[in-house]
Every structure is written in C-alpha cells, then in structure tokens.
Amino acid sequence: DGEKWTYSEGELDQKHWAEKFHVCGGIKQSPIDIQRRKVRYNPRMLQLELSGYEDMDGSFLMKNNGHSVEIQLPGTMKITEGFPDHYTAVQMHLHWGGWDLEASGSEHTMDGIRYMAELHVVHYNSDKYSSFKEAIDKPDGLAVLAFFYEDGHFENTYYSDFIANLANIKYAGQAMNITNLNVRSMLPENLSHFFRYEGSLTTPPCHESILWTVFETPITLSHNQIRKLESTLMDHENKTLWNDYRMAQPLNDRVVESSFL
Ligand code: B30
Ligand code: ZN
C-alpha cells in the first residue's frame, strides 16, 4: 500500500488519515463511543457460536507488524451461529495505551470511558467471498469480535506465553511461530452480552466493511501483564509501540444494538 500512516505523529497522523485515505472520513467509521442510554435492545439477536477456537494443533505466526502484535489464525476457526452467513477467522491483534500518557488504550469506549486495551479477532464472510483479501472492502465482508481488557490483581495464565513471546518480536517486522494456541481460553467465559453495529477498519484504508460485535465482559490481565504489553514492542521507527488506538468516530445515523437489557 506504500502510504505511511501513524497514530499520533507526523503528517499522516490520525487527524489527517482522510486526506490520503478518503474512506477514513466516511459516515460509518470505527471505533465509536458506545453510549448505553442510546443502545437499542434487540430481543431477536442471535447468540454467537464459535467453532475450532479451542486447542488448535499446528503452528501459528505471531508478528510485530509495526502498529500492533498480530497472530495469524487457521481457517478452522469459525463463527458458525449468530450471523446470517458463516465467518472464518484470519488474525487477531490488540490495541493498547502507554504509561507516559493516559494509560488506557482501547479503541471503543463505554460512555466515554476507555478500557486498558482491546482485542480484535478478525473474520471474513466465507459464504460470500473466497478470501479475506476479496472481502476486506465489501459491505458484508468482515466481522470483528472485540473484547476489552481491564487490569486486576492476578496474572491471567492463559496470556503468559503470549506476553512472554512479545520479547522475541520486539522489532517491527519480526515474527515467530507459536504452538498450542487456544483462543477460546483467552476470551471471557461469558459471551452472551454484546453490542452490535456496522462500522469500519479502525486503520487506513478504513473500509466500511465490518459488522462489529463488542463484548460487555472484559478480559482481566494483571497490572504487570498490561505493563509488558504496553512497553515491549517497537514501531517502524524503533520507538516504543504504544497508544495504537484510533479516537471515537461520529455515530451519525447508526444505531448500536445490544443482546441484553
Ligand atoms: S481492525 O480490526 O479494524 N483494527 C485490518 C484488519 C482489521 C482491522 C484493521 C485493519 C487489515 O487487514 N488491514 C489491511 C492489512 N494490513 C495488514 C495488517 O493487518 O497489519 C495492512 C496495513 O495495515 O498496512 Cu496493518
Ligand atoms: Zn484492531
């Protein structure tokens, strides 16, 4: 793609994304601030069913792409219920804050409150499209499951390997193989409470192709785990990779629905 964008520095920081990437100035952009008072309960919302999320055999690439840490996921991970179509997982990555500024770094906010960090599990519509690449700019192309992180007293042992591995991919472009991935264990137990709305990629080129599902129950990591997440990786300019989140975008005439009252 060639175009260099950043979150907060230089000519192409997020305030200027729309000048080079016009869709970033669209009317269905992500993330958003979810205002509970304005959310509409949808009693017909289907609960999600995830298949192949547990105990996956094989080897998975975990890489520092310069603006996040990304784990490439196998095509056996699918959302089998909850949407009219089936969606296949492609990758997951996180967005986080930093400890010199406001520490929090989630992308979505709840009544203006920012969580410590946010996980995105990215899927494409595999009923309608034959690849993620083909689906990325289609209005019904992608589904992302989003989870907040909060900090707590105890280490989350399901994240121990993931956090320890960050030191091996410190520099932008570095990657390693991981084995024994169990994504289900990295998510909250309760997946029944969520918000749903139509939005976009939160990074350029900001295609308006994502059906967002933002879960109410956060994932808890220890303070130390969050600190390591925020301070281990470096970006393309060998600066600490932190505060990799986009500010909330206008809701415009969209309605956020919820699966719960
Ligand atoms: S997000 O979940 O809305 N944050 C992409 C996928 C999900 C989101 C944002 C972007 C994506 O696939 N972007 C195009 C591919 N990327 C590669 C990548 O994912 O690492 C190219 C790029 O942006 O330069 Cu970064
Ligand atoms: Zn993301």
Side-chain angles (χ1 to χ4, degrees), residues 90-125:
V90 280
Q91 54 110 326
M92 62 187 219
H93 63 268
L94 289 81
H95 301 263
W96 58 85
W99 31 268
D100 67 334
L101 298 165
E102 170 203 28
S104 305
S106 71
E107 297 215 287
H108 290 90
T109 51
M110 294 292 313
D111 290 322
I113 305 293
R114 196 177 300 288
Y115 279 85
M116 294 307 293
E118 187 169 327
L119 169 67
H120 291 159
V121 189
V122 182
H123 303 72
Y124 76 97
N125 184 334

Side-chain angles (χ1 to χ4, degrees), residues 23-234:
V23 184
C24 297
I27 58 168
K28 290 171 74 169
Q29 289 291 294
S30 294
I32 57 166
D33 178 44
I34 298 173
Q35 295 179 266
R36 283 181 181 266
R37 210 169 38 80
K38 294 191 185 158
V39 166
R40 184 169 68 199
Y41 169 54
N42 179 352
R44 289 179 310 281
M45 189 96 79
L46 297 171
Q47 288 295 319
L48 290 181
E49 249 170 64
L50 308 176
S51 89
Y53 269 55
E54 293 177 43
D55 292 322
M56 290 170 289
D57 292 326
S59 164
F60 309 93
L61 197 71
M62 174 165 159
K63 72 173 182 197
N64 174 345
N65 63 24
H67 47 89
S68 185
V69 50
E70 177 184 319
I71 297 179
Q72 291 175 7
L73 298 171
T76 47
M77 268 177 69
K78 288 172 192 297
I79 307 172
T80 50
E81 298 285 345
F83 298 119
D85 296 316
H86 295 105
Y87 288 80
T88 299
V90 280
Q91 54 110 326
M92 62 187 219
H93 63 268
L94 289 81
H95 301 263
W96 58 85
W99 31 268
D100 67 334
L101 298 165
E102 170 203 28
S104 305
S106 71
E107 297 215 287
H108 290 90
T109 51
M110 294 292 313
D111 290 322
I113 305 293
R114 196 177 300 288
Y115 279 85
M116 294 307 293
E118 187 169 327
L119 169 67
H120 291 159
V121 189
V122 182
H123 303 72
Y124 76 97
N125 184 334
S126 45
D127 282 347
K128 294 227 171 97
Y129 306 104
S130 57
S131 69
F132 172 70
K133 243 186 112 156
E134 188 191 342
I136 191 168
D137 60 350
K138 306 300 187 294
D140 57 355
L142 307 182
V144 176
L145 308 183
F147 301 88
F148 294 122
Y149 293 96
E150 62 179 8
D151 63 348
H153 289 291
F154 301 105
E155 182 180 340
N156 183 334
T157 54
Y158 297 116
Y159 276 78
S160 303
D161 290 347
F162 171 77
I163 302 273
N165 285 337
L166 294 175
N168 301 319
I169 54 165
K170 191 171 186 53
Y171 300 101
Q174 280 189 309
M176 69 180 291
N177 280 305
I178 54 169
T179 51
N180 304 326
L181 188 62
N182 185 336
V183 175
R184 184 64 189 84
S185 67
M186 298 172 82
L187 309 180
E189 265 173 60
N190 181 0
L191 300 180
S192 65
H193 287 194
F194 55 81
F195 304 97
R196 172 72 50 76
Y197 80 98
E198 290 178 14
S200 74
L201 303 184
T202 64
T203 60
C206 307
H207 297 306
E208 294 181 336
S209 57
I210 300 184
L211 191 52
W212 281 93
T213 305
V214 181
F215 289 87
E216 186 194 35
T217 311
I219 301 162
T220 306
L221 300 180
S222 72
H223 192 69
N224 259 327
Q225 288 180 305
I226 292 194
R227 176 65 79 97
K228 282 201 176 127
L229 173 67
E230 289 171 347
S231 60
T232 304
L233 300 185
M234 311 277 229

